[in-house]
Amino acid sequence: MSIPTSPQTPIRHDSADVGDAVDSKSDTVSDGKAHKTIAFIAEVRKDEPLVTKRELWSYYLYYNGDNGSGPYSYTQTLFQNIATAAGYDPVSGPGSSCLADTASGQCVLPWMGSTKSVSSIVLVANGVSFAIMTALFTSISSAGDYGTFGRWLLFVVTAICWASQYACMSLTSPDRWKLAMVLYIIGYVTYGATLIFYAAVFPRLARNTPRTRKLQYELGESMEKNRISNISLAQSNIGWVVMFALNLALLTAPKTANDPKVQNYTVVMDNSYWVLLGVWWFIFQLPRPGPPLPKGEHYLTVGWKQVWAALKTYKQLPYTFVYLVAFFLLADGFNTTATLIAICQNEKFHFSFLEQTYLGLTAGIASIFSTFGFWYIQRYWKISTKKMFSINIIVTTLFPLWGMIGIWTDKFGFHNAWEFWAYSVILGLFQLPYFSYSQTMMAELSPPGFDNMFFGLFGLSNRASSLIGPNVIQAIIDKTNNTWQGFPFLFALCMSASLVIWFGVDVTKGRRDAVRWAVAQRGG
């Protein structure tokens, strides 16, 4: 599909300026003169406004507020807690309590004419959420590349997420577990959408910072993308720590600690923090509209057409699509592993918001140090994005591997409190930078000017990937009545995806393929 806008052009550099940014074995084009090469990089459009400090910091502050403490963390615990309170022990029969001292540890709820365990229902809710995100990202994410639609898209999904979090004040009794499930799905879907549509903005910001305007070469633009991505993640982690510290004060204060609505107050306070910090991005964001929507197209259908057009040209973007497919499997394994560990953790700590807050603070503090530490190491030694990402991938595969041990013994494998503390520390030190480097990898491999379309596909691979994991795992749990039986499948999923990314993705060649693809699409 040809899109009417100005074409991109290759930019010439002296080899001394390019340095190790240009691999002599990759697709560079000689201009016939000594010591000169043409390196294909993202064009900086001169008609786009330069990024200001106020705009950039409002971008960072949005992510500081959008740290996930509410829709990603506490809301699931609230939902699982209410569902458990509404369920009964299948060993003792209907009318029994899952929270009784004599309970067997199993808990079921009526479900479509039969019964289903609460753990499986939580996984079903996640599976439904990911299915909705799949439709959402495929249908409208590409439309964000046209005009100002992307700007309004982020605003709308953010507003819906805010509304769903405030609505959690109504979740005050076990008989509202179905409403809790609906609000959890709405919050989780829109929260995931905010992460994707927010991330789709940063490649364009990185191309228009004063630093990039001065550097104008591949390594410089790549490092600027990593800088903004890492600072954004650090801001999110700082927001996470601030919110969990405030939550700790709320959960331990004499006037609120024993209030039956303290969990609801916690979700509302987290959401209010996000509103306070996130609204400034919508005020200070400078206009950088895309080309107008082609005649005869509609915002709700152009996404499907663009995705289909991109898929038909996959041979021109081999590394981009290999990464998308591999990351689909990796994110499926990681997201479902995180959910499964959260279920084990909630059962271990009896759905305690206080324990969850302590664990969250631990992970958040560790992640702040690791984010800046990883960025310092990468900047000092000029390490590529892929190598930094690979370190995080290795740790990703260890979590389900450790959980597998819990199948055969209750001494290890997420059965003990200390294991969840260790998990929180390792999660913060190694795996939270995973989010930063995974989206930077996508930014490196995305055709410039088509950021929303490819970040929409990335959203399918990331937030909406878990169409396989939750459905397989909940079937395993239903059959075995053992939550830990799901970990072997997740380990195999993570390991196979990691091998593909390690050996099948060449970021340097993929980045240049992406620029050429963008030029061809624009008729340049």
Side-chain angles (χ1 to χ4, degrees):
M1 181 180 293
S2 179
I3 298 180
T5 185
S6 58
Q8 293 184 331
T9 55
I11 300 173
R12 178 180 296 176
H13 303 285
D14 292 335
S15 60
D17 293 329
V18 177
D20 60 355
V22 177
D23 183 355
S24 61
K25 295 182 180 180
S26 61
D27 286 338
T28 57
V29 182
S30 173
D31 66 355
K33 297 181 181 180
H35 309 297
K36 298 280 186 177
T37 60
I38 296 176
F40 288 86
I41 68 171
E43 176 198 30
V44 177
R45 289 181 53 184
K46 299 302 182 182
D47 59 329
E48 289 188 345
L50 198 66
V51 175
T52 65
K53 288 185 178 180
R54 183 172 66 177
E55 180 187 23
L56 190 58
W57 274 100
S58 68
Y59 182 78
Y60 293 149
L61 288 176
Y62 178 92
Y63 208 18
N64 185 299
D66 189 14
N67 55 66
S69 57
Y72 182 71
S73 182
Y74 285 125
T75 307
Q76 178 183 325
T77 302
L78 184 61
F79 163 42
Q80 190 177 348
N81 187 13
I82 290 177
T84 301
Y88 65 89
D89 187 340
V91 175
S92 301
S96 61
S97 173
C98 298
L99 303 175
D101 293 336
T102 57
S104 66
Q106 301 179 46
C107 190
V108 298
L109 279 165
W111 184 266
M112 300 179 67
S114 182
T115 61
K116 187 178 284 291
S117 71
V118 171
S119 296
S120 293
I121 290 174
V122 173
L123 289 166
V124 167
N126 278 5
V128 171
S129 299
F130 296 132
I132 295 172
M133 282 190 273
T134 298
L136 179 67
F137 295 152
T138 308
S139 300
I140 63 176
S141 61
S142 296
D145 291 319
Y146 296 101
T148 59
F149 188 75
R151 182 173 185 162
W152 287 104
L153 193 58
L154 179 59
F155 175 76
V156 170
V157 295
T158 300
I160 295 174
C161 190
W162 288 346
S164 71
Q165 295 301 285
Y166 282 129
C168 287
M169 274 303 301
S170 64
L171 304 178
T172 56
S173 59
D175 63 324
R176 295 182 178 179
W177 72 267
K178 293 181 181 178
L179 175 61
M181 183 176 182
V182 171
L183 291 177
Y184 170 68
I185 291 173
I186 293 174
Y188 196 71
V189 167
T190 51
Y191 166 67
T194 63
L195 296 182
I196 296 304
F197 299 142
Y198 169 89
V201 175
F202 98 89
R204 181 164 292 180
L205 287 179
R207 291 195 294 268
N208 287 283
T209 64
R211 187 174 308 201
T212 303
R213 293 279 179 94
K214 292 178 181 178
L215 294 175
Q216 293 260 315
Y217 60 85
E218 281 181 312
L219 181 61
E221 184 175 316
S222 176
M223 295 301 286
E224 186 70 353
K225 289 175 181 176
N226 276 286
R227 183 180 76 89
I228 293 177
S229 182
N230 276 288
I231 293 176
S232 297
L233 180 66
Q235 284 292 328
S236 178
N237 295 335
I238 291 170
W240 178 278
V241 170
V242 170
M243 279 318 308
F244 272 80
L246 293 174
N247 294 337
L248 185 61
L250 182 66
L251 292 166
T252 57
K255 292 184 178 180
T256 56
N258 296 318
D259 191 314
K261 295 182 180 179
V262 66
Q263 295 183 346
N264 309 75
Y265 296 149
T266 302
V267 174
V268 169
M269 184 172 67
D270 287 10
N271 193 53
S272 298
Y273 178 83
W274 181 12
V275 172
L276 181 63
L277 270 64
V279 70
W280 302 108
W281 169 244
F282 302 110
I283 296 173
F284 294 131
Q285 181 185 9
L286 295 177
R288 295 183 185 86
L293 193 69
K295 291 183 179 181
E297 299 292 349
H298 192 276
Y299 283 111
L300 295 179
T301 58
V302 69
W304 291 96
K305 293 181 179 180
Q306 280 211 337
V307 168
W308 178 242
L311 292 175
K312 288 194 298 183
T313 60
Y314 74 94
K315 291 183 179 180
Q316 300 173 31
L317 298 169
Y319 300 112
T320 300
F321 281 98
V322 167
Y323 177 70
L324 284 169
V325 172
F327 191 73
F328 178 94
L329 299 176
L330 180 66
D332 192 350
F334 165 62
N335 291 334
T336 310
T337 297
T339 300
L340 202 59
I341 293 174
I343 290 172
C344 298
Q345 177 180 304
N346 287 333
E347 292 176 355
K348 178 65 181 179
F349 294 112
H350 306 291
F351 315 101
S352 170
F353 267 40
L354 184 59
E355 291 291 344
Q356 187 173 349
T357 300
Y358 285 129
L359 293 169
L361 272 173
T362 302
I365 292 171
S367 67
I368 293 173
F369 287 103
S370 68
T371 301
F372 286 116
F374 270 78
W375 169 234
Y376 175 81
I377 293 170
Q378 181 183 20
R379 182 178 57 180
Y380 186 82
W381 277 285
K382 301 294 188 295
I383 302 175
S384 69
T385 302
K386 180 182 175 180
K387 290 179 180 177
M388 299 300 293
F389 186 40
S390 296
I391 296 173
N392 298 286
I393 291 178
I394 292 172
V395 178
T396 299
T397 62
L398 296 180
F399 291 135
L401 179 62
W402 185 262
M404 286 173 55
I405 301 175
I407 297 174
W408 302 288
T409 177
D410 58 3
K411 294 182 178 180
F412 303 103
F414 297 117
H415 286 289
N416 307 287
W418 68 265
E419 292 178 284
F420 295 104
W421 285 98
Y423 166 72
S424 296
V425 173
I426 298 172
L427 182 75
L429 288 177
F430 292 97
Q431 201 166 22
L432 289 181
Y434 155 102
F435 295 109
S436 174
Y437 289 112
S438 65
Q439 74 177 20
T440 305
M441 283 273 288
M442 189 68 250
E444 300 272 28
L445 296 169
S446 294
F450 297 84
D451 304 302
N452 274 281
M453 180 174 76
F454 279 87
F455 268 88
L457 293 174
F458 181 64
L460 297 180
S461 298
N462 186 11
R463 305 308 306 177
S465 64
S466 296
L467 293 170
I468 302 173
N471 292 301
V472 172
I473 299 306
Q474 64 96 7
I476 292 173
I477 292 175
D478 282 345
K479 184 176 180 179
T480 63
N481 287 320
N482 187 335
T483 302
W484 283 259
Q485 290 287 349
F487 284 114
F489 173 78
L490 297 174
F491 172 70
L493 205 58
C494 291
M495 178 56 72
S496 59
S498 299
L499 292 173
V500 173
I501 293 175
W502 289 337
F503 300 108
V505 178
D506 187 319
V507 177
T508 302
K509 292 182 179 179
R511 180 169 51 234
R512 297 173 186 180
D513 289 344
V515 174
R516 291 190 179 94
W517 186 90
V519 172
Q521 291 296 306
R522 290 166 174 158

